[in-house]
Amino acid sequence: MSSGGSERARRWVGSFGTRINAFWALLFVGTLVVLTFAADWATRRALEAQDRDAVVEELRAHGDSFASGGLDALRERLTTRSDARISLVRVRADENRTLLRLGPGAAPSDGTLDALAPSPTVHVVSTQTHRWTVAVQRVGDDHVMQVALSDAWRDQTLWELRRVFAVVLVVALLLGLLGGFWIMRRALRPVRALADTATRVVEAGDFSARVARGGTGDELDQLAAAFNRMLESNERLVQGMRDALDHVAHDLRTPLTRLRSGAEVALRSGDEPTHAEALADAIDESDRVLTMLRTLTDISEAETGLMKLDRQRVDLAAIAREVIDLYAYVAEDAGLVLAADLDEGVIAWGDAVRIRQALANLVDNAIKYSRADTEVRIEVRAEADRAVVRVRDEGPGIPEDALPRVFERLYRADASRTHRGLGLGLSFVRAIAEAHGGEVSATSVEGRGSTFTLALPTPA
Ligand code: ADP
């Protein structure tokens, strides 16, 4: 056998299906063997009882013949109506003189038979070759009659029965093993498909691999479906990480290149004020890179549940006022009206610092993307079981196809390329919202403005 073949044989022997199959086959055969023994025992008992009845019946009939017509009548009867199985008939006179003995030499000797008393009627006597069922009865005043039957017939019947059982056992074992093997192969097919797919993903790095489903809806099919869902989410995650890495590399290149060329120009100029300006720019660019890296870390911490949230009762109107104060000058600079419509007493359950950061991001965007002489409005509302803060602007809006993507990491709608942004603000807001068990959503009409809604849980 080739090494591949022996490897396959080893896998087959050690496989789950083979083990289960072997277990059931053993159980099946074990049960059949026990059944065979039980049937053998019961049959032997029944045959023994039958033999006792037969010898007693035969003895009674022979006895009647002898009593009515003597030895001649008995001889006559024995030649015509004898039970073929009865092996020995003996009549003796009281003084132990044998008058008649018809039977094989292997039958119990006269001496043995003479020792048997007429009561009880039936005895069991062993010779070298057989066991004999012997019935003894007095006939007339001074004779004793004995009729004996060996177990040869019984043994023959029992052996025939055992042969049939043996054949049935072998056939059942073969059918059981083959059938079990076939059923196991079919039953475990989905599991093999699962293992093959997992191997393809792990060894070939093929994240698009999926388990083919039988569509039966049973437990294994559900497992395959769950496995496929897991693969899908893994694929999305891995793709997301690759994209994020690409974006980060791309987004770091610009500030770092600017930093480098600024320094180079300043170095070549040899001029003091240019140096100072280049250093200030370098600090700016470094801050930008640091902010980006810090925000990325915050987002992944929030998404993976590692971010520590200092949860408490947070008055949303108070938070909104703080953010409005913070952005009052920026809004004024941009020629915008920063309006507030705050319901009092709306309490969220969360980390005040993180909620303030999230709201600041939304207000920052609204101001950044709006034109002068428009309004940015902040609302605080209690809605259903949520504490909601909403930021409406009358800016350019977000194209319909870009709307579902604005919360993705490092995503920036093309129109906003003119503004300097990291593309991380909204993914940060979403990560914070979800870490709190809340959510953020956006609606927008292009050319008319956008509304961002941050919904947070309330204290239980
Ligand atoms: P950025 O740093 O680019 O602002 P964000 O994650 O905050 O990154 O926003 C992602 C994108 O969503 C922005 O680039 C912009 O295209 C769009 N966007 C966000 N807020 C607004 C808004 N209020 N009005 C119009 N577009 C917006």
Side-chain angles (χ1 to χ4, degrees):
M1 196 183 278
S2 69
S3 74
S6 68
E7 169 62 21
R8 204 175 318 137
R10 215 179 8 257
R11 261 213 318 261
W12 185 79
V13 169
S15 90
F16 176 65
T18 311
R19 284 204 307 268
I20 290 215
N21 198 12
F23 171 77
W24 283 115
L26 269 180
L27 197 72
F28 186 49
V29 168
T31 312
L32 269 181
V33 167
V34 170
L35 265 179
T36 304
F37 274 104
D40 190 77
W41 180 82
T43 312
R44 194 207 314 269
R45 289 290 299 258
L47 289 176
E48 274 170 9
Q50 224 175 39
D51 282 0
R52 292 164 90 90
D53 291 348
V55 284
V56 168
E57 170 64 21
E58 202 69 7
L59 178 65
R60 196 188 50 73
H62 291 337
D64 287 351
S65 277
F66 181 74
S68 58
L71 272 178
D72 289 340
L74 179 60
R75 280 211 181 88
E76 169 72 22
R77 185 188 148 75
L78 283 174
T79 48
T80 54
R81 286 193 51 223
S82 167
D83 182 336
R85 295 180 309 146
I86 297 294
S87 328
L88 177 80
V89 177
R90 180 170 176 255
V91 181
R92 70 168 167 81
D94 262 355
E95 62 276 18
N96 279 356
R97 189 163 48 86
T98 304
L99 299 181
L100 174 101
R101 180 184 163 110
L102 275 176
S109 66
D110 288 351
T112 312
L113 294 173
D114 287 344
L116 303 175
S119 166
T121 317
V122 182
H123 302 260
V124 174
V125 172
S126 291
T127 61
Q128 264 179 349
T129 47
H130 289 294
R131 278 156 64 79
W132 297 79
T133 309
V134 186
V136 185
Q137 178 189 288
R138 294 197 71 82
V139 281
D141 292 336
D142 44 9
H143 289 89
V144 172
M145 179 179 274
Q146 291 151 332
V147 170
L149 173 60
S150 88
D151 60 3
W153 289 92
R154 213 158 63 206
D155 277 357
Q156 200 179 334
T157 312
L158 279 175
W159 276 112
E160 263 161 30
L161 201 74
R162 283 175 196 158
R163 233 193 352 257
V164 171
F165 270 126
V167 171
V168 168
L169 210 71
V170 170
V171 171
L173 178 63
L174 278 179
L175 279 181
L177 276 176
L178 286 177
F181 180 66
W182 183 73
I183 290 174
M184 270 298 146
R185 267 189 79 83
R186 279 185 68 91
L188 291 181
R189 200 179 292 161
V191 178
R192 269 199 308 281
L194 215 76
D196 288 348
T197 310
T199 310
R200 240 172 76 198
V201 172
V202 174
E203 286 178 6
D206 177 6
F207 283 94
S208 66
R210 296 288 179 274
V211 184
R213 291 189 45 199
T216 51
D218 60 11
E219 290 85 347
L220 288 178
D221 199 45
Q222 286 170 19
L223 178 67
F227 193 75
N228 280 346
R229 278 202 301 278
M230 188 186 76
L231 287 178
E232 253 151 49
S233 94
N234 277 358
E235 188 184 12
R236 249 197 330 268
L237 263 171
V238 170
Q239 192 56 45
M241 277 164 62
R242 281 185 189 146
D243 288 352
L245 206 65
D246 283 354
H247 282 126
V248 171
H250 178 263
D251 283 50
L252 279 180
R253 200 170 300 134
T254 319
L256 289 178
T257 311
R258 258 201 305 259
L259 210 151
R260 191 184 184 286
S261 50
E264 207 175 4
V265 170
L267 208 61
R268 253 194 256 125
S269 76
D271 158 33
E272 195 65 30
T274 316
H275 282 181
E277 198 183 321
L279 282 176
D281 281 353
I283 290 173
D284 266 4
E285 295 296 352
S286 313
D287 280 350
R288 201 173 135 74
V289 170
L290 285 174
T291 308
M292 178 176 174
L293 292 177
R294 201 168 32 241
T295 313
L296 272 172
T297 314
D298 278 353
I299 293 174
S300 22
E301 276 185 7
E303 281 177 351
T304 50
L306 289 175
M307 178 178 274
K308 282 202 186 63
L309 293 177
D310 177 16
R311 283 178 215 254
Q312 44 190 295
R313 296 169 63 87
V314 177
D315 181 348
L316 277 193
I319 293 274
R321 273 192 288 271
E322 283 173 31
V323 174
I324 291 169
D325 282 352
L326 194 67
Y327 279 92
Y329 292 116
V330 186
E332 203 181 301
D333 255 9
L336 290 162
V337 179
L338 203 49
D341 177 359
L342 315 174
D343 284 356
E344 294 301 328
V346 178
I347 305 293
W349 182 246
D351 185 323
V353 174
R354 294 305 187 182
I355 295 175
R356 193 182 305 117
Q357 279 178 334
L359 181 58
N361 269 301
L362 294 179
V363 173
D364 189 69
N365 274 352
I367 295 174
K368 191 162 66 180
Y369 295 113
S370 295
R371 281 163 286 118
D373 297 327
T374 58
E375 182 188 80
V376 170
R377 171 178 291 267
I378 302 173
E379 295 169 7
V380 167
R381 301 272 183 270
E383 286 176 9
D385 59 344
R386 298 260 133 162
V388 170
V389 54
R390 203 169 268 127
V391 180
R392 298 179 191 276
D393 66 55
E394 298 165 345
I398 302 167
E400 209 174 313
D401 54 333
L403 195 57
R405 301 201 55 198
V406 291
F407 293 103
E408 286 175 19
R409 233 177 275 200
L410 296 161
Y411 177 81
R412 270 190 264 157
D414 273 345
S416 55
R417 289 283 168 191
T418 43
H419 301 272
R420 275 182 84 180
L422 295 173
L424 289 173
L426 288 180
S427 32
F428 176 78
V429 176
R430 184 174 69 174
I432 294 293
E434 287 176 0
H436 276 85
E439 69 262 321
V440 59
S441 57
T443 55
S444 183
V445 180
E446 240 183 306
R448 300 274 299 276
S450 316
T451 302
F452 285 84
T453 305
L454 174 62
L456 295 164
T458 51

